[in-house]
Amino acid sequence: MAGVVRRRVAWWAAALLVVGAVTAQAQSDRPWLVVEVVPQFQPAEINRAWGPLLARLEKETGLAFSLKMTKDIPAFEEDLLAGQPDLVYQNPYHQVRAKRAQGYVPLVRDAKLLTGILVVRKDDPLASTKALAGQTIAYPAPNAFGASLLVRSHLAEVDRIDTQPFYAKTHTNAYRQVLLGRAAAAGGVKATLDKEPEEVRMALRVLWETPEAAAHPISAHPRVRPKDREAVTAALLRMAQDPAGQAMLKEILMPQPVRADYQRDYQPLEKLRLDRYVE
């Protein structure tokens, strides 16, 4: 119970930071943009990673940004599909759905391709994904791309097995369901597993990896002026050229930003027919 209270306090503390930022920026003469980040981690961790980067972007672009927190991925998706954020860091299939619903334009993504993973305890003798038939599998959320949609489609269409999904709200929580013995496996992505403490990484092993796909983009709603989109894009690319910027980009899981292109990077995902697994 104490852990639940601490998490709620942390969430509300992060939310208050956002309210304060919005108030201050609303009083500024500069254009300000609402930024939302898919909540792969707890709000305090998102604020710690994204706060310094947005402060740097403000200095380099002359724009102002407010980081809006959402309590979980379904709440984030509701905002996204309603077109609420001006700028958004989202998973690849969110980009497909956001393009369809609101016309969001991807600006930058990491050069390294994304790989979804299924992890089990290191001492678990499971040797294949088919052996997970009838077992509970933890996922961050139903519509997480590499960590859920690609995994669930593989289990259903390739392995042709039934499993019991448990949605843990974040990647961190999903991994810990396995460590606590509450799930036989957990869906995730390499980038989030790499951010876990060493004791967590050493206690898990990767059972299976998904095919690679273009990584999470930072995208803009069409209402964001083209010159502002370009200013943000150019500033992020410049940040990769100096050590301080590189450290900030690593924190948001985009250490090697490159320009994103919808037709090249994300349109191919439309052929995967993952809407069948979207909840």
Side-chain angles (χ1 to χ4, degrees):
M1 178 62 72
V4 172
V5 172
R6 284 195 295 271
R7 287 194 295 272
R8 288 177 177 171
V9 170
W11 191 90
W12 279 110
L16 288 173
L17 285 173
V18 174
V19 171
V22 170
T23 301
Q25 289 157 357
Q27 295 171 350
S28 169
D29 292 333
R30 295 182 295 172
W32 58 276
L33 302 172
V34 174
V35 181
E36 290 196 34
V37 175
V38 60
Q40 296 169 303
F41 305 101
Q42 297 293 340
E45 174 68 10
I46 293 173
N47 188 68
R48 184 192 66 79
W50 282 82
L53 181 135
L54 294 179
R56 167 94 177 245
L57 281 180
E58 287 190 346
K59 292 179 180 179
E60 296 211 5
T61 65
L63 302 168
F65 303 94
S66 63
L67 180 59
K68 180 184 176 184
M69 301 291 182
T70 50
K71 64 180 180 179
D72 53 28
I73 292 178
F76 165 83
E77 291 171 345
E78 184 176 350
D79 276 5
L80 175 65
L81 297 180
Q84 293 191 20
D86 298 302
L87 295 175
V88 59
Y89 176 78
Q90 59 188 336
N91 79 38
Y93 207 67
H94 283 147
Q95 173 60 72
V96 172
R97 298 174 66 206
K99 174 77 170 176
R100 183 188 307 150
Q102 294 286 339
Y104 277 90
V105 180
L107 304 180
V108 295
R109 62 170 176 84
D110 194 58
K112 187 175 181 181
L113 298 179
L114 177 149
T115 303
I117 54 176
L118 257 180
V119 300
V120 297
R121 288 183 62 97
K122 193 170 185 178
D123 57 5
D124 194 310
L126 280 170
S128 72
T129 52
K130 286 188 176 181
L132 291 168
Q135 302 269 26
T136 296
I137 300 178
Y139 301 101
N143 303 332
F145 176 65
S148 181
L149 291 175
L150 290 181
V151 174
R152 290 190 291 121
S153 65
H154 174 85
L155 296 176
E157 297 180 20
V158 178
D159 289 342
R160 297 187 179 279
I161 60 172
D162 292 324
T163 57
Q164 180 62 46
F166 173 79
Y167 299 116
K169 298 188 183 298
T170 68
H171 287 236
T172 297
N173 290 348
Y175 297 140
R176 279 155 181 73
Q177 296 302 307
V178 177
L179 297 180
L180 293 171
R182 297 172 181 168
V189 296
K190 280 186 174 181
T192 60
L193 182 61
D194 288 344
K195 287 198 71 173
E196 290 292 329
E198 182 178 4
E199 60 268 24
V200 172
R201 290 184 279 110
M202 295 301 293
L204 298 171
R205 66 179 173 88
V206 176
L207 177 67
W208 179 76
E209 298 182 9
T210 71
E212 294 179 327
H216 292 46
I218 295 175
S219 306
H221 193 282
R223 66 175 166 265
V224 178
R225 297 178 299 183
K227 71 174 186 177
D228 293 339
R229 294 183 222 164
E230 179 55 31
V232 170
T233 301
L236 289 166
L237 295 177
R238 284 196 303 272
M239 287 176 65
Q241 305 305 313
D242 67 83
Q246 291 168 5
M248 293 177 185
L249 290 166
K250 184 177 180 180
E251 287 295 323
I252 69 163
L253 305 181
M254 194 178 287
Q256 303 174 64
V258 296
R259 288 183 182 269
D261 177 83
Y262 184 82
Q263 288 186 326
R264 179 194 65 207
D265 298 330
Y266 303 107
Q267 194 171 52
L269 302 180
E270 297 175 7
K271 299 177 183 178
L272 298 180
R273 298 181 297 162
L274 293 177
D275 281 349
R276 292 174 295 172
Y277 300 96
V278 168
E279 297 182 15

